[in-house]
Amino acid sequence: MTPSSDSSAAPPEWTAPDGSWASSAANRRSMRGNRSRDTSPELALRKLVHAAGLRYRVAAKPLPGMRRTADLVFRPVRVAVFIDGCYWHGCPEHYVPPKTNPDYWRNKIARNIERDHDTDAKLVENGWTVLRFWEHQPAADCARQVCATVTRLKKLEG
């Protein structure tokens, strides 16, 4: 039997590629599979808002020069909608800190929350209405709020 065909040999230790903070190959696959847009909660909300007759931009920058994108943007009435993931945005109800590399993740989530607050402040400062929802909130409830806000602002505008 040759060494390469020995099935009892331990697999080689996994090493993260340069620039990756993944603690394992499985963790890296999981992280790479996370979507930044077109998530299930976003698609559910978009379907309901579209069915209500409202039109919007998807994954658009509300302000010129702003690096951040909103999940739905209603430019004429200046409404930006964000659907925040419970893990990535530190949901007070559902966020569970990971056991692996906790310092990195604590800082990462804190920066995400800080960026969310900064985004909201910049948009409000420029006359926008910001609607934020958690991914666990029922899409129908979120859609009702989006539709009511956009409809109210359209009436004020017109």
Side-chain angles (χ1 to χ4, degrees), residues 97-113:
K99 291 178 177 62
T100 306
N101 207 356
D103 290 339
Y104 170 82
W105 289 108
R106 184 179 322 104
N107 292 332
K108 169 71 173 155
I109 301 305
R111 285 191 314 269
N112 288 351
I113 293 168

Side-chain angles (χ1 to χ4, degrees), residues 64-144:
M66 180 179 247
R67 289 183 54 206
R68 300 158 192 162
T69 61
D71 298 312
L72 280 76
V73 174
F74 298 86
R75 278 204 210 308
V77 291
R78 293 184 176 190
V79 174
V81 180
F82 298 88
I83 298 103
D84 294 336
C86 291
Y87 179 78
W88 296 106
H89 297 268
C91 173
E93 252 181 270
H94 299 109
Y95 176 71
V96 177
K99 291 178 177 62
T100 306
N101 207 356
D103 290 339
Y104 170 82
W105 289 108
R106 184 179 322 104
N107 292 332
K108 169 71 173 155
I109 301 305
R111 285 191 314 269
N112 288 351
I113 293 168
E114 185 179 313
R115 187 183 62 236
D116 292 343
H117 292 309
D118 181 63
T119 299
D120 294 353
K122 283 182 177 160
L123 289 171
V124 168
E125 186 179 294
N126 283 278
W128 284 73
T129 299
V130 177
L131 300 176
R132 278 195 184 271
F133 303 103
W134 291 109
E135 68 178 332
H136 66 264
Q137 290 180 266
D141 294 349
C142 301
R144 275 192 289 280

